[in-house]
Amino acid sequence: MGQGASSVSCASARDIKGEEEEEEDAQEEAMMQVQMQLQRHHTDEDYTVYLPDECLASVFQKMGTMDRNQSSLVCKRWHHVEAQGRQRLSLQAHAEIISYLPSIFMRFDHITKLALRGDRKTTSINDKALFLVGRHCTHLRKLKIKGCRQLTDDGIDLFARVVSSTLRKLSCGTCSFGARGVNAIVHHCTLLEELTVKRLRGLVEGPAEYIGPGCGSIRRLCLKELFNAQLFGPLIAGSKNLHSLMVCRNSGNWDSLLSIISEQVSSLVELHMERLHLSDRGLQAVSRWQQLEVLYVVKTTECTNLGLSAIAEGCKRLRKLHVDGSKSNRIGDDGLIALASKCRELQEVVLIGINVTAASLDLMASNCSSLERLALCNSETVGDIELSCITSKCHSLKRLCLKGCSISDQGMRGLAAGCPRLIKVKIKKCRGVTWESAYWLQVHRPRLEVSLDCEAPEAQMTEAPRVVEEIAEAEPDVMAPLPRPRSPLAKVKLALVASSSFVACSLLRWSSSRGK
């Protein structure tokens, strides 16, 4: 009996073990089937089919140009949605593109902003191609033409008639048409608000023809590097709603023209003048614009303190002022004292090549309580006393830039207690400032961004950490990371990271999540 019972128990044990093994095998097989289904599910199913076209188009709009072009080739739906949602397009304006224009704009039929770029090595598009662009781009609002030397006045005239009801912004540079073409644009395009003209070669050739007055709808006008820019006088004077005017590196005397314009236009808010033949008479004409808020006077030839005093009397709403007197060296404390006394709403002041002193800076710091950005460049009179004046009285200052000034480490240390809202300090070509003071300032104000362009000598690099350690032992709560100069290779890497594409960033985030 004993042997029979033991044999039965052994058999039952083997049966139980066999059942357990079968169950384990069945579980493993079931798990393998589940994994195969999951893999098939992940590889075969496209989750984007559940996205509405509007959401998919919004994703495409966040991508860069290269990523967007590549994504449009994934499938027919992406190809269609990407084309329907694209509103900006840039084309190489070569002559061979004329045969492809109908098919291009048949696909991209919602383009509102178009750029046509030619170059010197190839023949650009002609009048017929520009007409096709105007006929097919029925929603065109903004157009940029550059380097298209085969365009003529007749072509521009025909194009202006086609886009007369939609075009709002036009920028043309290094083209060969002239005044008649520009007149066609400002006459037919009644909704035109912004016009930029650069290096227009057609203005030099043929008889002089005045441009304007147009329909009076232009709000922003930019004229750069033109030989006969005075021909735009009627257009400027006839633009009653002109908000911004930029005239840079244009020939001729601008005093008389500004006197005429200031009598006709009263709504100007922003004015940029760079490398013009301009004197105090022109600045006195500018002072008539009482609503002026932004003024750039850069490298003008004959402007003095008298002209700046006139600006201070008439333009009391100035918020941004950029004055570059490095060409004339005839602007100093007297003009700045007048501005500081009258223009109390100043928020941004940039002075280049002007020898200011503590007298004008003290008055500006006291009267201009909203001053947030100050830049002093290539000034021989700005030293530690002037910097101390800034740090003690500019309580709203957020950004400070000093370039080519006579400040030293002692003046830099004054920034530790002054300017409570300061977030960034930029020091360039100031020989009296060393990396030791930059380390010291970084320790005392950890949140302050200090930018210093000089390379620290080896001895100074070994000395600065010792100074930081001594300060850290005395004040352990204010320890901060040490600023280090960036090498050219580091700057390139930072630029590549900052401009990384949408897909690259997504892949990096995906790979990091998988690694976790």
Side-chain angles (χ1 to χ4, degrees):
M1 279 300 285
Q3 293 179 356
S6 63
S7 62
V8 171
S9 62
C10 290
S12 61
R14 285 196 299 270
D15 293 340
I16 294 173
K17 185 176 180 181
E19 292 177 358
E20 291 178 352
E21 291 178 352
E22 290 178 358
E23 290 180 358
E24 291 178 357
D25 294 339
Q27 291 178 357
E28 290 180 359
E29 184 178 358
M31 288 295 296
M32 291 178 62
Q33 292 179 356
V34 170
Q35 290 178 357
M36 292 176 63
Q37 292 178 358
L38 289 175
Q39 291 177 358
R40 190 182 304 111
H41 176 77
H42 283 296
T43 56
D44 295 343
E45 187 168 0
D46 181 10
Y47 288 104
T48 61
V49 298
Y50 303 108
L51 282 178
D53 289 350
E54 294 78 5
C55 295
L56 188 58
S58 178
V59 173
F60 286 141
Q61 291 176 0
K62 302 295 183 182
M63 293 182 178
T65 302
M66 184 178 297
D67 293 331
R68 185 165 184 168
N69 293 338
Q70 293 176 351
S71 299
S72 66
L73 303 177
V74 171
C75 61
K76 291 183 178 180
R77 180 180 177 234
W78 285 28
H79 188 269
H80 174 73
V81 173
E82 190 277 331
Q84 293 297 312
R86 186 184 286 251
Q87 296 181 349
R88 304 174 61 180
L89 187 64
S90 180
L91 299 176
Q92 293 293 332
H94 300 165
E96 297 80 8
I97 201 175
I98 185 172
S99 59
Y100 302 100
L101 287 177
S103 58
I104 290 175
F105 293 113
M106 186 177 296
R107 179 191 173 193
F108 303 108
D109 56 353
H110 289 77
I111 295 297
T112 60
K113 185 176 181 180
L114 177 65
L116 301 173
R117 306 177 187 274
D119 54 55
R120 297 180 179 180
K121 298 181 180 180
T122 57
T123 304
S124 69
I125 59 174
N126 55 16
D127 295 341
K128 181 180 179 180
L130 187 63
F131 171 75
L132 290 176
V133 170
R135 188 177 68 176
H136 289 285
C137 289
T138 56
H139 304 283
L140 188 62
R141 295 166 59 92
K142 300 179 181 179
L143 175 63
K144 183 175 183 179
I145 307 174
K146 183 179 180 181
C148 297
R149 295 177 173 83
Q150 273 61 45
L151 297 179
T152 65
D153 291 329
D154 294 333
I156 296 295
D157 188 5
L158 188 59
F159 172 78
R161 296 174 187 272
V162 176
V163 299
S164 59
S165 61
T166 59
L167 193 64
R168 294 179 179 269
K169 180 179 178 180
L170 175 65
S171 174
C172 51
T174 319
C175 295
S176 299
F177 60 90
R180 187 160 63 90
V182 180
N183 270 323
I185 290 290
V186 299
H187 176 72
H188 294 293
C189 300
T190 56
L191 301 179
L192 190 67
E193 296 179 353
E194 297 187 23
L195 177 61
T196 301
V197 182
K198 303 178 182 178
R199 299 179 296 277
L200 197 60
R201 302 179 183 275
L203 293 178
V204 183
E205 302 174 357
E209 179 181 351
Y210 284 100
I211 299 172
C215 301
S217 59
I218 294 180
R219 291 181 52 82
R220 183 181 184 274
L221 179 62
C222 179
L223 307 174
K224 290 187 177 181
E225 299 181 22
L226 299 177
F227 181 73
N228 290 329
Q230 285 82 3
L231 298 177
F232 286 83
L235 177 62
I236 303 173
S239 303
K240 303 298 182 181
N241 298 321
L242 191 64
H243 181 275
S244 302
L245 176 61
M246 302 178 184
V247 283
C248 305
R249 300 182 291 278
N250 299 320
S251 61
N253 193 318
W254 284 81
D255 290 338
S256 302
L257 186 57
L258 286 174
S259 299
I260 297 173
I261 295 173
S262 61
E263 294 178 354
Q264 303 295 325
V265 179
S266 59
S267 59
L268 198 67
V269 177
E270 183 176 357
L271 177 61
H272 292 235
M273 299 182 295
E274 179 181 348
R275 293 182 182 271
L276 301 179
H277 183 64
L278 184 70
S279 67
D280 292 336
R281 181 188 171 193
L283 293 183
Q284 290 172 357
V286 171
S287 65
R288 297 176 184 173
W289 285 308
Q290 298 182 0
Q291 299 180 11
L292 197 66
E293 297 180 4
V294 180
L295 177 62
Y296 284 66
V297 183
V298 179
K299 295 182 179 179
T300 53
T301 54
E302 300 177 5
C303 294
T304 66
N305 291 322
L306 183 62
L308 280 188
S309 300
I311 293 292
E313 290 291 336
C315 309
K316 298 181 181 180
R317 296 185 180 181
L318 278 181
R319 295 184 297 104
K320 295 184 180 181
L321 176 66
H322 287 226
V323 181
D324 186 346
S326 56
K327 283 287 184 180
S328 60
N329 294 324
R330 301 173 68 182
I331 300 176
D333 265 355
D334 294 339
L336 295 176
I337 288 174
L339 286 169
S341 302
K342 304 292 183 179
C343 304
R344 302 197 173 193
E345 299 181 11
L346 284 172
Q347 299 177 4
E348 179 178 322
V349 177
V350 177
L351 304 176
I352 303 174
I354 298 178
N355 294 327
V356 298
T357 64
S360 56
L361 290 176
D362 182 78
L363 188 60
M364 184 176 296
S366 301
N367 291 345
C368 304
S369 58
S370 301
L371 188 64
E372 296 181 353
R373 183 192 173 198
L374 178 62
L376 303 175
C377 305
N378 301 330
S379 179
E380 298 176 356
T381 58
V382 175
D384 291 341
I385 297 177
E386 286 71 22
L387 182 56
S388 176
C389 176
I390 295 172
T391 55
S392 61
K393 295 191 176 182
C394 293
H395 302 293
S396 300
L397 196 65
K398 295 181 179 180
R399 298 178 182 273
L400 175 63
C401 177
L402 299 174
K403 178 181 178 181
C405 298
S406 303
I407 60 174
S408 65
D409 288 346
Q410 183 178 358
M412 284 287 291
R413 295 194 178 191
L415 292 171
C419 301
R421 298 184 180 180
L422 196 63
I423 59 177
K424 184 174 182 179
V425 176
K426 190 173 184 180
I427 308 297
K428 298 183 68 176
K429 298 181 180 180
C430 297
R431 298 181 178 179
V433 179
T434 64
W435 274 98
E436 180 180 346
S437 62
Y439 286 126
W440 189 92
L441 183 60
Q442 189 75 70
V443 168
H444 281 75
R445 297 189 66 167
R447 296 183 180 180
L448 180 62
E449 181 182 350
V450 182
S451 176
L452 188 62
D453 66 340
C454 66
E455 294 291 341
E458 183 178 356
Q460 188 175 333
M461 289 294 290
T462 56
E463 179 70 15
R466 184 186 61 79
V467 176
V468 172
E469 291 176 359
E470 293 177 356
I471 298 175
E473 291 176 359
E475 302 177 18
D477 295 334
V478 295
M479 187 59 187
L482 304 180
R484 288 180 292 180
R486 290 175 182 158
S487 64
L489 180 60
K491 292 180 180 179
V492 171
K493 291 181 179 179
L494 183 61
L496 290 174
V497 172
S499 61
S500 59
S501 64
F502 178 84
V503 173
C505 293
S506 302
L507 289 175
L508 286 174
R509 288 195 295 269
W510 178 79
S511 61
S512 62
S513 62
R514 287 291 296 267
K516 294 179 181 178

